[in-house]
Amino acid sequence: MLHKSQRSLLGVMLLLCPFLTILAQVPVNGFYAKKKTLTVASSYSYKSYDQFYRGTTLSEGNPAGLGEISSSIVSLYGQYAILDWLSTTVTLPYINVESETGELDPVQNVAQVEGIQDLGLFLKARILEKKFENSSKITLGGASGVTFPVGDYQGAGVLSLGNQATAVNGSAIFQYTTPFKIFSEVQLGYSMRNSSDFDIPNAVAYSAKIGYHNEFLYLHAKLDVQDSMSGIDIGSPEFGAAGGAAILPETEVDYTNLSFDFYVPIYKNDIGVSAGYGTTLTGRNYNKESAISFGLVYTAR
């Protein structure tokens, strides 16, 4: 039950991540399922914003004056434990993003865009595990993977589904679990992005998480931070000279997001539901947005 609950929440966590950027950290956590455990999750999230960070300055609206922008995301998530210490993960989101006022994207000349975004393939391994006499535990792991576009979407514009970039990602994962089922986790990751159309900045991403679990409930609070290594600011002379909204993927995108997620089993510990809420605390060339999500999870061993 413990392994299934922890694996299941991952699909929801993915949906709370920004849809206009490629994540620098891989979509995994510090728990490890038993060999031959399969988890499949489908999730839905809704997010919207009518404020935007132009550079580091929070302003009303968005870079092209499209008013409030909302998005709906349906995501499929699968994880299979090859061994007790080694697992694979697959992710695939379908996104619908639109201007609520009907204003047209200045690059794509439409008020709504929808389609499949990027396929993600990841591998996670536990490197070290240390158990103590008081039932506390420390684990150290690593993960790597790649995301690449599979949908025929436009990478430029305010209503773009993504950057049309291939990203190679890696992260180190440290977790400490107490005898009272309270755990803390830290991840440090790096993402190398490549696109034939844009010079997209690489980024460092790190996160900190604290949570609790028992046989009836799993929950956590998480802080996600991305720090791009380069890029230009929206509203700067360089941004205007380079094409404005047409080169949004080349901006320096930084953010700090806070999210809360939980999972509960509903049928024989094999089927469960999850839900979450996320919001942007600070950003740079990034949406000031809030999101809610819900998921249905199935786990087989």
Side-chain angles (χ1 to χ4, degrees):
M1 164 61 198
L2 171 59
H3 290 287
K4 291 186 281 189
S5 298
Q6 292 158 341
R7 298 283 69 73
S8 300
L9 192 57
L10 292 178
V12 174
M13 289 157 50
L14 287 173
L15 295 182
L16 296 178
C17 296
F19 67 90
L20 291 178
T21 60
I22 302 297
L23 286 181
Q25 67 246 62
V26 295
V28 300
N29 64 16
F31 295 102
Y32 298 85
K34 292 183 178 180
K35 180 180 178 180
K36 296 184 179 181
T37 298
L38 172 66
T39 299
V40 179
S42 61
S43 303
Y44 169 81
S45 72
Y46 175 84
K47 61 175 67 177
S48 65
Y49 73 94
D50 56 9
Q51 292 181 306
F52 195 92
Y53 289 96
R54 298 174 185 267
T56 57
T57 302
L58 183 62
S59 59
E60 298 298 324
N62 54 69
L66 272 65
E68 182 176 356
I69 293 177
S70 66
S71 63
S72 299
I73 307 172
V74 177
S75 181
L76 297 178
Y77 163 89
Q79 179 182 262
Y80 181 72
I82 302 170
L83 300 168
D84 289 349
W85 57 271
L86 182 67
S87 63
T88 61
T89 299
V90 179
T91 63
L92 185 65
Y94 184 93
I95 301 173
N96 177 85
V97 56
E98 62 182 310
S99 166
E100 294 293 337
T101 61
E103 297 293 330
L104 301 183
D105 184 294
V107 178
Q108 303 184 64
N109 201 36
V110 294
Q112 179 182 3
V113 179
E114 63 179 324
I116 297 173
Q117 193 208 42
D118 301 337
L119 177 66
L121 304 172
F122 304 92
L123 188 68
K124 179 181 70 171
R126 182 176 60 214
I127 300 171
L128 175 69
E129 180 178 74
K130 175 66 175 179
K131 297 180 179 179
F132 300 96
E133 293 183 359
N134 63 356
S135 298
S136 62
K137 181 175 64 174
I138 290 175
T139 58
L140 177 64
S144 62
V146 60
T147 60
F148 54 91
V150 291
D152 185 24
Y153 64 85
Q154 169 64 258
V158 178
L159 300 182
S160 175
L161 303 182
N163 290 335
Q164 270 289 329
T166 296
V168 178
N169 311 286
S171 70
I173 312 164
F174 173 83
Q175 187 185 90
Y176 172 70
T177 303
T178 74
F180 310 105
K181 306 300 184 181
I182 297 172
F183 68 91
S184 58
E185 181 180 304
V186 176
Q187 286 197 39
L188 175 62
Y190 190 79
S191 178
M192 297 181 293
R193 293 91 177 262
N194 180 65
S195 170
S196 60
D197 299 320
F198 307 103
D199 183 15
I200 301 177
N202 297 334
V204 172
Y206 39 96
S207 66
K209 180 192 304 181
I210 185 168
Y212 171 80
H213 62 78
N214 59 35
E215 61 180 318
F216 305 109
L217 173 70
Y218 170 93
L219 56 86
H220 75 233
K222 184 181 181 186
L223 197 67
D224 283 294
V225 180
Q226 174 174 288
D227 184 11
S228 295
M229 299 290 95
S230 60
I232 59 179
D233 282 331
I234 293 174
S236 66
E238 295 83 1
F239 180 75
I247 54 123
L248 277 173
E250 299 188 15
T251 57
E252 179 178 352
V253 177
D254 303 332
Y255 58 77
T256 300
N257 290 337
L258 177 65
S259 61
F260 303 91
D261 303 283
F262 78 91
Y263 167 88
V264 292
I266 58 174
Y267 181 73
K268 293 184 177 180
N269 291 336
D270 295 326
I271 298 176
V273 294
S274 52
Y277 170 79
T279 187
T280 301
L281 301 181
T282 62
R284 180 172 188 162
N285 304 307
Y286 188 73
N287 316 326
K288 175 68 172 177
E289 64 188 9
S290 297
I292 56 172
S293 61
F294 304 93
L296 180 65
V297 183
Y298 172 72
T299 303
R301 290 183 291 178

